[in-house]
């Protein structure tokens, strides 16, 4: 293996090892040394002219075969020969999007493309004929010679793997061009064919090629072999491409859109090939590091890689080595390569999309930028007076890695210290370091436990400054304070963490960070820790509730067996109710005792004790919420699907022939659904709650479900409504949970029942259809998969256990009141009947007598669409329900020209039109204190 040095273009300047100057001690000269021998040796290393200076700066390429390399302790395991880079996938997706956009412009903007072609042809037609012919001749020869010359250059540099990648990409690109030519000639719309072809000047009656079959392979080849990192070759290629495109346009053998499509196909296929087969792994090993250290002036003896268990953010930390030298103190070396830098790329890209710019950093950063940023922050932190590792050398380890050499600090990270070792002085020293950084507007951006180092003397050292920022704004500085508050709070508690911060920063600075005290502003590892602690708290609460319920039942059974008279006679209703109330009281008391506040809430309370007027409203850090993004995508898909269905419908005659009586019936059924929903909720609430206000709450839910998924918004609103109506929080949650549980059971039973009836409608016997059997088998297979996979089984069991922990005692209360149970189940059945009849009336409003469907078929379609809408993470099931209902109605035999407007009317009556009344009801109940 022969690394090519700092830059491939400098490979020709590599000198022989025997002619290199000795720069062994140039990087470690200490002005305070009194040893004359060391001074002489350092002086000798300093007298190395320009070549020595370049070696110290890491600008001289090196050859591993020409140096003596020592063994590396704890080096990386055997690295894979190829790696799949996320950047290649992103470029592939961008190329595919560009091709789709180009074809869309060609298809729908025919006038623009024709005008553009005429303008270009008019401009190029003024070029001298001799110049055009010379340009065509030179470019035709150069476009074939450039790849060959580059291949020879790569083979000389022993880079045959890249040549193989380029050849494979060229072959695939040629195949894609042939397929594209065939599609344009036989199946493409006429507008696309006109944009990509024109009459051939040399062959009357034929058209030019839509895609250039030899240009696309050349582009794919040159892209796959990595020409973008070689400026001289890149310049030559672009000059040849521009000359070739000009000559082809002048002679009339192509169109502008054909040239652009050829470029995009070659570029896209190249990165698709690289991502599929992987790029050659050029990650430097520990041996490469040793050679690199020798060439920046050090004499390493051994190197040991630092082990780390945190794999989530290793891309932000780099690989670390402890290096011992022949003479002098040891070194801490950080190595960052392209593959490691790509770790977490998609996570960072997602945060850049969803968070505002001041809360994120660039997800696409070159190695040179990463090197310069970390070096700048290291120098700036020391200049600010903070204790930070001293950077003494930097260098590039070939074209795909960089290293940063620090003085060895030693010590232990905050995470590795025991609780007894974290003293108040240590906490104060940590905040003093943060105060020093913030005095010069330096934001660390990752103040977690492994970034805080404590040496043997107790001095606190701030490390991992790589992702920090200088000249940071106030929001970033406040985010650092909130992050460190949580980091220390996880180890010593909220009280000590806040007290130590106030003692150094002052109460005002700590109070100002409260708006940043939210999970989205914290590091990835901190959020994972908080989620784990939340699961543990919830588990303790569930265990406390189950234990209290068990003890109450045990006490009741002992009381019954101890009283012989009560054992002979059946207990009266008053006794049963008293026992149920006692059991509920015991469960509520156990839940109150087991309930714990999360760490963020504890920190807020501690800060508010010091500054009661501190702002607590969370700052808006999100640019776009995931829910909004999902809703937009789902809405766009639904709109596209519905528009494709509606474009073939003539609404004028359809509305003129609509049966308005059935429209009025659909409106009536939609209005009745709110009364049925109120019955379905109150049937599982033993306490007395006003019926009219409950109906108003269900109307308000029509507004809430537009801004939240259907399965989330309705549950939250009903729970809040019951709490405001006087039901205790735990009982309110249990009542809504019982309603949801019974509703799920009724939904499944009705879906199976109506599906069975639908299958028997067209058969003489009462045997179910094959579709119903296939559906049951599918459900059975899913159940087997869930029960056989440990992760899924644990997930389901945990959710079901948490549900039954509160629902079962509540159901016992409801079962003691049959009239309540009848009201609840009857309300669920009536609610489903109202929606089914509303959909049936919408179908009859636009269909004739021969296009109506049976109630069973309509019920199956509605139940399936409603189930998908509840599962879809979009407000009101937008997109999922519309598509499912339309497809389902067409599948059961309804014409598309009737199905599309019927679903549109149904969704207007049940989703969109009730939004305004729902908003009014929501505001009214809020003013009345009912929500």
């Amino acid at each position: 293996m022969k690394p090519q040095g700092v830059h491939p273009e400098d490979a020709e300047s590599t000198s022989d090892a025997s002619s290199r100057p000795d720069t062994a001690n140039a990087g470690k000269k200490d002005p305070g040394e009194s040893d004359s021998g060391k001074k002489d040796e350092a002086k000798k290393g300093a007298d190395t002219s320009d070549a020595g200076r370049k070696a110290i700066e890491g600008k001289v390429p090196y050859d591993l075969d020409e140096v003596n390399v020592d063994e590396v302790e704890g080096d990386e395991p055997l690295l894979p020969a190829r790696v799949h880079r996320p950047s290649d996938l992103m470029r592939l997706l961008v190329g595919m999007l560009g091709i789709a956009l180009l074809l869309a412009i060609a298809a729908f903007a025919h006038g623009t493309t024709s005008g553009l072609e005429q303008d270009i042809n008019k401009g190029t037609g003024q070029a001298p004929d001799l110049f055009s012919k010379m340009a065509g001749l030179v470019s035709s020869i150069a476009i074939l010679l450039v790849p060959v010359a580059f291949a020879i250059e790569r083979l000389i540099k022993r880079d045959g793997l890249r040549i193989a990648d380029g050849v494979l990409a060229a072959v695939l690109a040629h195949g894609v061009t042939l397929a594209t030519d065939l599609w344009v000639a036989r199946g493409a719309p006429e507008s696309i064919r006109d944009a990509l072809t024109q009459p051939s000047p040399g062959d009357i009656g034929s058209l030019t090629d839509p895609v250039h079959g030899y240009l696309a392979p050349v582009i794919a080849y040159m892209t796959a072999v990595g020409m973008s990192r070689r400026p001289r070759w890149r310049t030559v290629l672009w000059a040849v491409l521009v000359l070739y495109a000009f000559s082809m346009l002048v002679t009339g053998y192509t169109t502008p859109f054909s040239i652009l499509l050829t470029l995009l196909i070659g570029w896209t296929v190249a990165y698709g090939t690289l991502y599929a087969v992987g790029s050659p792994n050029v990650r430097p090993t520990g041996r490469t590091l040793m050679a690199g250290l020798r060439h920046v002036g050090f004499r390493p003896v051994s190197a040991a890689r630092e082990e780390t268990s945190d794999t989530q953010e290793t891309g932000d930390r780099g690989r670390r080595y402890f290096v011992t030298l022949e003479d002098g103190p040891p070194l801490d070396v950080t190595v960052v390569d392209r593959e490691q830098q790509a770790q977490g790329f998609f996570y960072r890209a997602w945060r850049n999309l969803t968070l505002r710019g001041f809360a994120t950093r660039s997800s696409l950063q070159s190695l040179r930028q990463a090197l310069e940023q970390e070096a700048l922050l290291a120098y700036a932190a020391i200049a600010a007076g903070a204790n930070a590792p001293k950077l003494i050398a930097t260098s590039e380890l070939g074209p795909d890695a960089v290293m940063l050499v620090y003085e060895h600090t030693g010590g232990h990270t905050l995470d590795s210290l025991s609780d007894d070792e974290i003293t108040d002085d240590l906490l104060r020293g940590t905040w003093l370091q943060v105060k020093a950084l913030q005095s010069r507007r330096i934001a660390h951006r990752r103040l977690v436990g492994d970034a805080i180092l404590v040496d043997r003397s107790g001095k606190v050292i701030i490390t991992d400054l790589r992702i920090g920022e200088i000249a940071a704004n106030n929001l970033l500085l406040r985010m650092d304070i909130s992050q460190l508050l949580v980091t220390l709070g996880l180890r010593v508690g909220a009280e000590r963490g806040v007290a130590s911060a106030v003692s150094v920063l002052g109460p005002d600075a700590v109070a100002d960070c409260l708006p940043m005290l939210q999970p989205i502003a914290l590091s990835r590892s901190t959020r994972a820790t908080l989620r784990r602690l939340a699961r543990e708290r919830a588990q303790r609460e569930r265990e406390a509730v189950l234990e209290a319920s068990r003890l109450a039942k045990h006490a009741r059974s002992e009381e019954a067996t101890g009283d012989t008279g009560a054992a002979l006679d059946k207990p009266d209703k008053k006794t049963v109710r008293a026992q149920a109330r006692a059991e509920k009281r015991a469960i509520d008391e156990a839940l109150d005792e087991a309930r714990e506040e999360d760490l963020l809430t504890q920190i807020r309370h501690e800060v508010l004790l010091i500054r009661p007027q501190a702002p607590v409203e969370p700052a808006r850090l999100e640019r776009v919420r995931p829910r909004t993004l999902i809703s937009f995508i789902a809405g766009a898909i639904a709109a596209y699907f519905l528009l494709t269905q509606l474009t073939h419908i003539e609404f004028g005659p359809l509305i003129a022939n609509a049966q308005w009586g059935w429209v009025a019936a659909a409106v009536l059924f939609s209005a009745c659904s709110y009364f049925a929903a109120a019955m379905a909720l109150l049937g599982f609430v033993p306490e007395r709650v006003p019926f009219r206000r409950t109906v108003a709450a269900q109307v308000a839910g029509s507004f809430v479900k537009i801004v939240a998924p259907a399965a989330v918004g309705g549950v939250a609103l009903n729970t809040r409504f019951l709490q405001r109506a006087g039901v205790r929080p735990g009982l309110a949650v249990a009542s809504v949970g019982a309603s949801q549980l019974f509703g799920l059971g009724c939904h499944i039973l009705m879906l199976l029942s109506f599906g069975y009836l639908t299958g028997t409608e067209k058969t003489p016997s009462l045997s179910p259809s094959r579709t119903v059997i296939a559906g049951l088998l599918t459900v059975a297979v899913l159940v087997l998969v869930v029960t056989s996979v440990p992760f899924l089984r644990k997930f389901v069991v945990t959710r079901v256990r948490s549900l039954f922990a509160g629902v079962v005692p509540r159901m016992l209360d409801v079962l003691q009141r049959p009239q309540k149970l009848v009201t609840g189940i009857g309300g669920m059945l009536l609610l489903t009947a109202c929606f089914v009849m509303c959909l049936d009336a919408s179908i009859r409003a636009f269909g004739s007598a021969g296009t109506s469907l049976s109630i069973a078929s309509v019920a199956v379609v509605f139940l399936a669409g409603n189930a998908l809408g509840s599962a879809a993470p979009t407000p009101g099931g937008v997109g999922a329900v519309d598509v499912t209902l339309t497809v389902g109605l067409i599948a059961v035999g309804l014409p598309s020209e009737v199905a599309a407007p019927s679903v549109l009317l149904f969704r207007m009556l049940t989703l969109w039109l009730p939004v305004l009344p729902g908003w009014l009801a929501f505001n009214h109940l809020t003013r009345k204190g009912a929500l």
Side-chain angles (χ1 to χ4, degrees), residues 139-426:
S139 61
S140 299
I141 298 174
I143 207 167
L144 297 177
L145 290 181
V146 169
V148 175
F150 186 77
I152 295 173
E153 189 263 351
R154 287 291 89 199
L155 290 175
I156 293 175
K157 299 294 181 61
R158 300 181 182 180
D159 200 5
L161 286 177
R162 294 187 186 272
I163 300 301
D165 294 340
V167 172
L168 178 60
V171 172
L172 295 177
H174 184 66
V176 172
T177 57
L178 293 179
T180 305
D181 288 344
L182 185 62
W183 172 72
V184 172
R186 298 185 179 181
E190 186 177 354
S191 57
I192 294 181
R193 189 181 301 113
D194 294 340
L196 298 177
T197 62
Q198 64 181 9
S200 178
D203 189 1
I204 300 176
S206 62
L207 298 176
T208 58
D209 294 333
V211 182
H212 297 274
Y214 56 89
L215 180 59
V218 170
I219 297 173
Y221 169 84
M222 303 300 283
T223 304
V225 296
M227 181 174 289
S228 60
R229 285 179 290 208
R230 294 162 176 84
R232 290 186 295 189
W233 286 102
R234 184 176 63 239
T235 303
V236 172
L237 177 63
W238 275 111
V240 171
L241 290 178
V242 170
L243 191 62
Y244 176 81
F246 172 78
S247 63
M248 295 295 288
L249 288 172
V250 169
T251 54
Y253 280 98
T254 190
T255 66
F257 280 87
S258 176
I259 292 291
L260 293 177
L261 182 60
T262 302
L263 292 173
L264 286 174
I265 288 178
W267 191 75
T268 304
V269 170
Y271 284 112
T273 304
L274 290 178
Y275 186 74
V277 303
S279 302
N281 193 350
V282 292
R283 170 180 289 188
T285 63
R287 291 175 175 270
T288 310
L289 169 66
M290 299 284 279
L293 288 172
R294 292 180 183 277
H295 283 278
V296 292
F298 300 99
R299 291 181 177 177
V301 175
S302 64
R305 184 179 175 186
E306 176 185 338
E307 297 293 336
T308 176
S309 59
D310 184 9
T311 59
Q312 289 182 330
E313 300 181 25
T314 52
D316 291 334
R317 299 185 60 190
R319 299 199 313 279
R320 299 179 176 182
Y321 293 86
F322 173 76
V323 180
T324 58
L325 304 178
E326 292 181 4
D327 185 18
L331 303 173
D332 291 329
V333 182
T334 299
V335 176
V336 182
D337 57 68
R338 295 188 187 276
E339 307 310 326
Q340 190 171 24
Q341 195 181 30
Q343 293 182 9
F345 169 80
F346 294 109
Y347 170 76
R348 293 194 298 269
W350 172 254
R351 285 182 65 86
N352 286 336
L353 176 64
T354 56
L355 299 186
R356 297 181 183 273
F358 57 77
T360 61
R361 67 183 181 91
S362 175
S363 59
L364 290 174
Q365 192 179 41
S366 67
L367 285 173
R368 169 60 64 178
Q369 291 173 330
L371 176 67
E372 293 175 348
Q373 181 180 10
E374 184 168 353
L376 177 61
L377 284 164
Y379 294 137
I382 295 177
N387 298 328
K390 182 179 179 181
L391 181 67
I392 56 178
T394 60
S395 176
E396 292 180 343
L397 297 178
D400 296 298
V402 296
M403 72 172 180
L404 298 100
V405 183
Y406 293 92
E407 288 185 349
H408 178 63
T409 53
H412 301 278
T413 63
L414 184 67
D415 287 341
S416 63
L417 297 178
S418 63
D419 294 339
D420 296 337
E421 294 177 306
I422 304 179
T423 62
D424 291 339
D425 291 338
L426 176 60

